[in-house]
Amino acid sequence: MNFSAYARKSVFSDKSDSVKNQARMCQDYADSHFPGKVDSFRIYQDEDYTGANTNRPGLKKLLSDVKDGQIDVLVVYQLDRLSRNVRDFSNLYSYLEEHGVQFISVKENIDTTTPIGKAMMYVSVVFAQMERETTASRVYDNMIGLSDSGWWVGGNPPYPYVRKNVTLPDGKKHVTLELESEEAASWLQNFFQTFLDNGFSLQRYETWLRSHGIFTRNGKFFQTTQIYKLLTMPFCVEGTAAIYDFYAAKGCIMSPGSPRELWDGSRGVMIYGRTTERNGKHQLVPPEKWRVCLGRHAPCVSADTWLAAQAQFTHNVFEKKLRHSLPLLKGALRCSCGRLMSLSRKAHVDGSVATWYMCPRRGRFGKDACSVRSIRTTVLDEKVLSIFSEIEQDPDAIYKYAQDPVPAVDYSAEERKLQKRLDSISVKIGNLTSALAEGQDGAAAKYILSAIQSLDEEKFSVSRKLSAVHQESRNSIISLRTLEEKRNEISDFIRNIDNFNDEERNEIARNCIESAVWDGETLTITL
């Protein structure tokens, strides 16, 4: 039998066993409870990953191998190592059951083959989720208290600040910010002033910094996201009444510990809760959830300068209403280097406008970064329309462009064969069990037990194969249904193309096309 162990340790806690110890205890359990049956033992692990969601690389690899039928038994040290979310755990356990994988938790020692065992398993997960949510709430409340007091509660501070450890008279230790140096503060002030004096947009400022040989502290070119972060970070600005009003107007939560009358410009600004982690990525949350207060550090950028920079962003906002026609592959076409291709337009003397698909990497960094040249949008759009027309005329042509060009396979015969074998094994086990009950003290008892054990192992193997065939059959049917839907949508699109506007044509094309890649010579379309 193929065994596996899954181990996880959260980034937020150092109380749980290490992933190494978890894996060792799982393997010890398998060796002691299944002697002679462990043909292989794989270890999947995620360190510094929360159990609140399933977006974990080790878990994803585990589920992929489960789908491929490479695992018979999954062992975890504790239920909450797999998940601390009831819904996620239920889905994961159902997935394991569907693929015939036996699940074992070492610490809880729960027998999931019985109804009461399953019930106890879910009760344990409910308590694990409650513990996680209680801990998260306690940590959040503690961080709110620290942030309202002006202490630094984040990780690495933004340039030009560094962390400064502070020990209070009562012995409590906190962290605040301090300027790295006067030179660093002067650099940031000049960075703001250059942006304002030239009326730059973010893209133009990036180009200017590149052309003038101004690099980040790591010796790399500035990116627009880095520039935006420097120009909008609140920690550097004087905490004046004008800054208080700026954030209050956004609807932010203004800390009661920093009333407006204290905003005299002598201290910098602190904001807690601007971002949250979702699926492993930090995302900006609405300003209504930001908590704003005065910090305990000195500012280095005047309020007037900082507010002028924020105002300049609004001056450079593009009009979202389309002034030109929308090409068919806008938002769907990628360069062979991996970047989503953007549009470039050139106006002619007669008032007409030529539109091109261009690689933004080549546009920003030059031909050494990407060799794919720009191409007229009409050229590639016509190629797509010719493919769509081909499918409209010959429905089977869609298989030439499908991700899986093979039509759905009929698995019913194989399913019936496996099910018949499964029923036959069950009958044999039933007969042998009856024979054993009638003559349990006879000499043949040990041979009957051995035969039952052998048949039970075969039954497990056949059940796993049948589950895999079921899954393949479903995937094949879903794939075929999806292609049929796309084929019908493409045919309707071609027959009524004149009745759609540019936006509708673009939306239909993006719905039908899985990927579109241009390498400078060939357009590769996958439906």
Side-chain angles (χ1 to χ4, degrees):
M1 298 173 68
N2 298 317
F3 282 72
S4 67
Y6 176 75
R8 178 188 64 82
K9 184 177 175 63
S10 175
V11 66
F12 301 112
S13 172
D14 59 355
K15 296 181 181 179
S16 60
D17 292 279
S18 68
V19 292
K20 185 177 180 180
N21 284 338
Q22 291 177 46
R24 178 183 55 77
M25 287 184 284
C26 290
Q27 189 159 12
D28 289 346
Y29 182 94
D31 291 338
S32 61
H33 287 73
F34 298 88
K37 293 185 178 181
V38 182
D39 297 325
S40 65
F41 195 95
R42 301 185 184 187
I43 297 175
Y44 303 83
Q45 61 187 43
D46 287 306
E47 190 156 10
D48 294 344
Y49 280 90
T50 176
N53 59 64
T54 58
N55 188 27
R56 295 170 250 155
L59 181 59
K60 289 180 178 179
K61 174 60 177 171
L62 166 66
L63 296 179
S64 175
D65 289 348
V66 166
K67 181 180 179 181
D68 293 340
Q70 300 180 29
I71 297 174
D72 298 319
V73 182
L74 171 62
V75 185
V76 296
Y77 171 65
Q78 193 171 336
L79 289 173
D80 64 2
R81 297 304 87 196
L82 189 62
S83 178
R84 284 178 175 262
N85 180 283
V86 176
R87 183 182 61 183
D88 288 342
F89 184 89
S90 178
N91 292 336
L92 290 170
Y93 182 71
S94 297
Y95 188 83
L96 295 175
E97 275 195 317
E98 182 181 346
H99 291 83
V101 176
Q102 184 179 349
F103 177 68
I104 296 173
S105 175
V106 174
K107 189 172 183 180
E108 288 84 2
N109 194 24
I110 293 174
D111 182 6
T112 59
T113 61
T114 65
I116 189 65
K118 286 187 178 180
M120 291 301 298
M121 176 181 67
Y122 283 113
V123 168
S124 299
V125 177
V126 168
F127 278 104
Q129 176 172 329
M130 183 178 67
E131 180 186 2
R132 175 182 63 82
E133 293 173 351
T134 301
T135 302
S137 178
R138 189 163 54 245
V139 170
Y140 178 83
D141 291 342
N142 183 52
M143 294 184 75
I144 288 294
L146 290 174
S147 64
D148 282 350
S149 300
W151 299 112
W152 175 254
V153 295
N156 293 325
Y159 184 77
Y161 290 95
V162 293
R163 294 162 57 98
K164 178 182 178 182
N165 295 321
V166 177
T167 303
L168 301 181
D170 60 3
K172 291 184 177 180
K173 296 182 179 181
H174 295 292
V175 177
T176 186
L177 301 180
E178 68 176 359
L179 286 168
E180 181 181 282
S181 64
E182 288 298 326
E183 291 78 13
S186 178
W187 181 91
L188 183 63
Q189 293 163 2
N190 291 333
F191 192 85
F192 269 86
Q193 202 58 50
T194 302
F195 176 72
L196 293 172
D197 290 346
N198 294 277
F200 283 139
S201 65
L202 288 174
Q203 183 64 67
R204 287 178 57 203
Y205 201 11
E206 180 194 82
T207 304
W208 186 90
L209 291 169
R210 186 182 300 275
S211 64
H212 284 74
I214 299 176
F215 302 93
T216 66
R217 301 184 75 190
N218 296 327
K220 298 181 179 180
F221 287 118
F222 272 99
Q223 304 291 325
T224 53
T225 52
Q226 295 170 302
I227 298 171
Y228 182 79
K229 185 176 181 179
L230 279 172
L231 294 175
T232 57
M233 68 174 182
F235 315 106
C236 63
V237 66
E238 298 171 336
T240 65
I243 299 297
Y244 181 98
D245 294 340
F246 174 84
Y247 283 110
K250 283 180 171 289
C252 301
I253 303 170
M254 308 306 292
S255 170
S258 300
R260 190 175 185 274
E261 55 267 22
L262 295 182
W263 290 61
D264 57 6
S266 62
R267 293 189 284 171
V269 177
M270 296 287 291
I271 293 187
Y272 175 74
R274 283 210 308 173
T275 62
T276 186
E277 185 176 350
R278 293 176 182 170
N279 298 326
K281 296 181 179 180
H282 286 281
Q283 299 179 3
L284 192 69
V285 301
E288 293 79 11
K289 296 185 178 181
W290 301 358
R291 297 185 66 91
V292 182
C293 66
L294 289 171
R296 293 174 176 259
H297 59 281
C300 63
V301 176
S302 70
D304 290 341
T305 298
W306 191 87
L307 289 171
Q310 313 316 303
Q312 187 158 306
F313 289 124
T314 62
H315 298 160
N316 293 322
V317 173
F318 291 104
E319 175 62 47
K320 292 186 179 295
K321 185 177 180 181
L322 294 175
R323 294 188 299 165
H324 305 288
S325 61
L326 185 66
L328 194 64
L329 291 176
K330 168 63 176 174
L333 181 65
R334 289 190 178 274
C335 176
S336 56
C337 72
R339 297 294 294 271
L340 190 67
M341 298 193 79
S342 57
L343 300 180
S344 173
R345 292 186 171 91
K346 180 178 181 181
H348 297 299
V349 179
D350 60 2
S352 62
V353 177
T355 307
W356 305 72
Y357 290 119
M358 63 169 289
C359 175
R361 177 176 291 173
R362 180 186 175 97
R364 291 172 64 177
F365 306 129
K367 61 182 180 180
D368 291 338
C370 179
S371 61
V372 177
R373 296 183 177 181
S374 302
I375 184 170
R376 288 257 192 161
T377 57
T378 52
V379 174
L380 297 189
D381 289 357
E382 287 173 1
K383 288 180 179 291
V384 174
L385 290 177
S386 66
I387 292 173
F388 283 6
S389 297
E390 179 186 0
I391 294 171
E392 196 275 332
Q393 295 173 13
D394 178 14
D396 288 340
I398 195 171
Y399 293 113
K400 293 167 53 178
Y401 307 98
Q403 285 184 316
D404 182 3
V406 181
V409 178
D410 184 4
Y411 289 93
S412 57
E414 187 174 359
E415 287 178 301
R416 287 193 298 270
K417 179 181 177 181
L418 289 171
Q419 186 61 56
K420 184 178 180 180
R421 178 57 184 159
L422 200 60
D423 294 339
S424 175
I425 294 173
S426 298
V427 170
K428 289 181 180 180
I429 291 176
N431 293 336
L432 288 172
T433 302
S434 299
L436 182 64
E438 293 175 359
Q440 54 183 340
D441 295 329
K446 63 178 182 179
Y447 299 105
I448 295 176
L449 286 172
S450 177
I452 291 176
Q453 183 178 1
S454 177
L455 286 170
D456 190 58
E457 292 177 356
E458 184 183 358
K459 182 180 179 181
F460 179 81
S461 176
V462 173
S463 296
R464 194 157 58 86
K465 290 179 181 178
L466 182 59
S467 177
V469 171
H470 279 319
Q471 186 63 41
E472 290 294 330
S473 179
R474 284 194 294 271
N475 291 342
S476 181
I477 292 171
I478 291 172
S479 176
L480 180 61
R481 186 184 300 126
T482 302
L483 283 178
E484 287 177 345
E485 291 171 353
K486 288 184 178 181
R487 183 166 55 198
N488 293 336
E489 189 169 6
I490 289 171
S491 297
D492 182 68
F493 172 66
I494 292 298
R495 287 193 296 267
N496 300 283
I497 191 169
D498 294 334
N499 298 328
F500 297 114
N501 59 35
D502 290 340
E503 290 82 0
E504 291 170 335
R505 294 174 186 175
N506 174 261
E507 182 179 0
I508 293 172
R510 292 175 64 179
N511 286 339
C512 294
I513 295 174
E514 290 291 333
S515 69
V517 179
W518 173 246
D519 63 4
E521 298 290 338
T522 306
L523 175 66
T524 303
I525 295 291
T526 304
L527 301 177

